[in-house]
Amino acid sequence: MLQNLKELQKEDLRKEVLALKADGYRFVTATCVDLGDGRFDIIYHFDKDYRLTNIRITTQAEEKVPSISDIYFAAVFVENEIKDLFGIEFENLLIDYEGKFMITEELESPMRKKPVVKVKKGE
């Protein structure tokens, strides 16, 4: 279980991140988890005085997530990584590698779970 976790709506993400920055927190990274049902959790990790604070948002695969790269420039890298590996789009990403930050055109969202096809017995 992740400690110090705050769950937010996407619409509240930037406001909370701005408050953390104003309070002296540094951005560590973000983690994306494919929930397997078309939804994704993105967990943002922040640190202040060796204490982690985490923010989780849940988004649908086709929805855009607000970028925090204009608040913490280092987020440019992990947001592009999430875009490449999971196919999640970010709004107003300061530098957008257009899906070519980590992977080539031959791969498409390699970390995204593939839909499970159930086969009936005898087919």
Side-chain angles (χ1 to χ4, degrees):
M1 175 72 37
L2 192 58
Q3 296 180 351
N4 301 322
L5 178 66
K6 186 173 192 176
E7 298 196 36
L8 297 176
Q9 299 298 313
K10 286 185 312 188
E11 300 77 28
D12 300 323
L13 174 66
R14 290 180 50 78
K15 179 180 175 184
E16 185 68 23
V17 171
L18 282 166
L20 287 171
K21 185 169 186 177
D23 197 28
Y25 281 83
R26 70 180 185 92
F27 173 69
V28 177
T29 194
T31 307
C32 185
V33 179
D34 186 338
L35 300 175
D37 60 0
R39 295 177 309 133
F40 295 83
D41 278 348
I42 301 177
I43 305 167
Y44 296 85
H45 311 278
F46 301 87
D47 167 77
K48 181 178 179 184
D49 300 326
Y50 302 107
R51 180 176 165 89
L52 282 178
T53 297
N54 306 285
I55 297 173
R56 176 171 49 207
I57 63 165
T58 302
T59 186
Q60 296 291 329
E62 66 279 356
E63 295 177 342
K64 289 188 175 187
V65 174
S67 173
I68 64 165
S69 61
D70 63 321
I71 303 168
Y72 288 102
F73 183 75
V76 161
F77 304 107
V78 74
E79 288 178 348
N80 273 287
E81 181 179 324
I82 291 170
K83 181 176 181 172
D84 283 9
L85 297 177
F86 292 93
I88 303 295
E89 295 287 334
F90 288 87
E91 291 178 324
N92 302 316
L93 186 55
L94 283 183
I95 301 173
D96 187 348
Y97 286 86
E98 300 178 3
K100 296 173 186 71
F101 180 65
M102 297 183 63
I103 60 176
T104 62
E105 293 178 11
E106 292 81 37
L107 293 174
E108 184 177 326
S109 307
M111 296 298 289
R112 187 177 275 199
K113 291 181 181 177
K114 308 302 180 231
V116 177
V117 178
K118 294 184 181 179
V119 178
K120 294 179 185 177
K121 289 185 179 182
E123 288 185 9

